[in-house]
Amino acid sequence: MNVKFRLILMNFMQYFIWGAWLLTIGAYWFQNKHWSGAQFGIIFSTMGISAIFMPAITGIISDKFINAEKLYGVMHICGGIVLACLPLVTNPTTFFWVMLLNMVFYMPTLALSNTVAYSALKRANIDVVKEFPPIRIWGTIGFIAALWVVSLTHNETSANQFYIASAIAFALGIYSFSLPKCPPLLAKIDNKTLAGALGLNAFALFKSPRFAIFFAFSLLLGAALQLTNAYGDTYIHDFAKIPSYQDTIAVKYPAIIMSISQISETLFILAIPFFLRQFGIKYVMLFSMLAWVLRFGLFAFGNPAEGLWMIVMSCIVYGMAFDFFNISGSLFVETQAAPEIRGSAQGLFMMMVNGFGALFGSFASGLIIDHFFTMSNGDKDWHGIWLCFAAYALVIAVIFPFVFKYRHNAALEHAIKHA
């Protein structure tokens, strides 16, 4: 198999694992187990907790000690074992600890998959900015495929979703050992400082104003991503409580409706090189923030019947909201950071988005929803919830252009010209 196809297969399975449960775990939690919303927010925080330290640690290990593709494989095999244990859990406290262990193994693989892909493409003399988005698009297709498999087999509220994810995790773990070699480059450098000896070189990026601001907004947008992941599917499920909506397609197959978001991603991923070339990273990031405002705002006024078009439009703009920051941000880090700290730099980006950002989003949203948007009978005021989230995204979008003063440097301009 050629390099591109091998990386396509890796990305497909990487996001299939996540898609098999990420958007439907809320339905499993509320509709099957009937556990509380506050406890659910804590469960979703496991992604943030693990991403605070694990991507950075595995990035250091892959930069300095072990081939990234081998570490990647080990993490997926361990994660597959833990996923297979989740259906055995019968109380929310134990579920938290088991899910946290699963996330300890899974979250680093998001950054490691980028590290492996960038290394393999560069070693094959393939343009990263031009060729990575069409490869990464297959991750989104894998996510969509998982959603459809879980939905069409009626496993949205079933523990089977975890068994499906576990099987693919085992397959990817074994496959990873056949991926192109991604050896540690930092080990070849004579490190005279303690930070260098410990593999902490990438943390020096925080000294750069442009990186410090970039990472700060990565955190804030990571919180926005967490909100839509945690509540999108169960929001549509809740319409089943209203008789006039019970027989609508959206209520019967909410995961399929939500998968429109991932279908939209496939289009916006391919548009990234063009938008970076035409507008630059600053405005591409701003477009992402404005898209989050629309994502939440359309949810606030939509419904599964005459307002279905708003839900569908919300799912379409999600593609821009997600891709224009997460994938463009990853490319930004790759073109700005030195090759020998590639893994650590990607780990830092993941730490801010899926670590501190996700943790902030989980705890804050859980508390806000329970205190301000949960009625006496336990029902949620989804209109108010989504408007609150839209206001949050709007504030970020208004502030961002005034504090992020960065312009392309020569490295990024050169890369984009070849896209």
Side-chain angles (χ1 to χ4, degrees):
M1 293 188 289
N2 64 39
V3 171
K4 291 183 183 179
F5 183 80
R6 293 166 76 184
L7 296 177
I8 284 172
L9 186 56
M10 176 191 75
N11 273 276
F12 181 90
M13 289 192 285
Q14 170 72 44
Y15 288 90
F16 189 104
I17 296 167
W18 215 9
W21 64 265
L22 181 65
L23 300 186
T24 52
I25 191 174
Y28 173 75
W29 183 276
F30 292 109
Q31 314 294 328
N32 186 320
K33 294 298 184 180
H34 306 289
W35 292 331
S36 79
Q39 289 172 319
F40 180 65
I42 294 172
I43 291 299
F44 247 72
S45 73
T46 57
M47 286 187 287
I49 294 170
S50 58
I52 285 175
F53 60 94
M54 283 305 297
I57 291 174
T58 54
I60 291 169
I61 294 172
S62 66
D63 280 341
K64 197 169 178 64
F65 303 107
I66 302 173
N67 278 32
E69 82 282 355
K70 294 180 180 178
L71 180 60
Y72 180 69
V74 170
M75 301 301 278
H76 272 301
I77 290 172
C78 292
I81 294 172
V82 179
L83 278 168
C85 295
L86 272 172
L88 306 177
V89 177
T90 57
N91 66 82
T93 301
T94 305
F95 197 96
F96 168 82
W97 291 108
V98 177
M99 180 55 78
L100 178 60
L101 183 58
N102 173 54
M103 289 292 95
V104 163
F105 292 124
Y106 184 81
M107 293 309 293
T109 64
L110 297 174
L112 284 171
S113 65
N114 288 343
T115 300
V116 171
Y118 293 145
S119 173
L121 291 173
K122 287 191 172 181
R123 288 166 73 89
N125 294 317
I126 297 173
D127 190 309
V128 171
V129 174
K130 181 180 180 180
E131 299 297 340
F132 179 69
I135 291 171
R136 171 58 182 79
I137 200 174
W138 285 92
T140 302
I141 293 172
F143 197 101
I144 296 168
L147 275 174
W148 281 61
V149 167
V150 170
S151 187
L152 292 175
T153 57
H154 300 288
N155 283 311
E156 291 185 37
T157 61
S158 166
N160 289 336
Q161 59 189 279
F162 303 116
Y163 289 127
I164 293 169
S166 175
I168 302 301
F170 282 123
L172 179 53
I174 295 170
Y175 171 71
S176 299
F177 289 91
S178 71
L179 290 170
K181 304 295 182 185
C182 183
L185 300 180
L186 198 57
K188 299 178 181 179
I189 297 176
D190 183 19
N191 293 296
K192 297 181 180 179
T193 65
L194 178 61
L198 295 175
L200 303 176
N201 307 61
F203 282 87
L205 294 174
F206 282 102
K207 296 180 180 179
S208 165
R210 69 174 184 273
F211 264 110
I213 294 172
F214 171 77
F215 283 139
F217 278 90
S218 297
L219 184 157
L220 296 173
L221 287 182
L225 174 61
Q226 188 72 356
L227 300 176
T228 195
N229 284 342
Y231 300 105
D233 191 64
T234 194
Y235 151 70
I236 298 180
H237 268 286
D238 261 10
F239 280 106
K241 298 176 182 177
I242 304 173
S244 59
Y245 296 136
Q246 286 177 351
D247 295 325
T248 58
I249 293 176
V251 170
K252 288 182 178 179
Y253 301 101
I256 291 179
I257 295 298
M258 293 300 292
S259 73
I260 296 172
S261 300
Q262 281 65 49
I263 295 171
S264 170
E265 275 191 59
T266 63
L267 301 176
F268 283 105
I269 287 175
L270 295 177
I272 286 173
F274 169 79
F275 275 86
L276 282 175
R277 201 166 49 231
Q278 292 295 117
F279 302 102
I281 187 68
K282 177 176 180 177
Y283 287 100
V284 169
M285 290 165 63
L286 180 60
F287 295 156
S288 169
M289 296 168 192
L290 294 174
W292 279 117
V293 178
L294 287 174
R295 164 70 162 180
F296 298 139
L298 287 166
F299 264 170
F301 294 97
N303 65 62
E306 68 279 359
L308 180 60
W309 69 271
M310 293 188 188
I311 294 178
V312 171
M313 282 301 299
S314 175
C315 292
I316 291 173
V317 300
Y318 171 85
M320 175 179 283
F322 180 85
D323 292 335
F324 275 31
F325 187 78
N326 284 56
I327 296 175
S328 295
S330 175
L331 288 168
F332 172 77
V333 171
E334 171 64 18
T335 55
Q336 299 291 299
E340 60 269 16
I341 61 169
R342 173 184 291 126
S344 304
Q346 292 295 333
L348 288 182
F349 177 57
M350 204 61 59
M351 176 183 76
M352 300 307 293
V353 176
N354 291 311
F356 289 110
L359 194 61
F360 168 62
S362 293
F363 282 113
S365 63
L367 291 172
I368 290 171
I369 289 173
D370 274 1
H371 283 82
F372 300 105
F373 299 106
T374 300
M375 303 174 199
S376 57
N377 63 355
D379 289 344
K380 295 175 179 61
D381 173 16
W382 287 111
H383 178 73
I385 289 170
W386 294 122
L387 282 182
C388 178
F389 293 166
Y392 167 78
L394 181 61
V395 170
I396 295 173
V398 170
I399 295 173
F400 176 74
F402 297 99
V403 298
F404 192 67
K405 301 294 185 180
Y406 175 69
R407 292 183 179 181
H408 293 313
N409 70 3
L412 186 58
E413 287 178 349
H414 177 76
I416 293 172
K417 284 178 182 176
H418 288 79

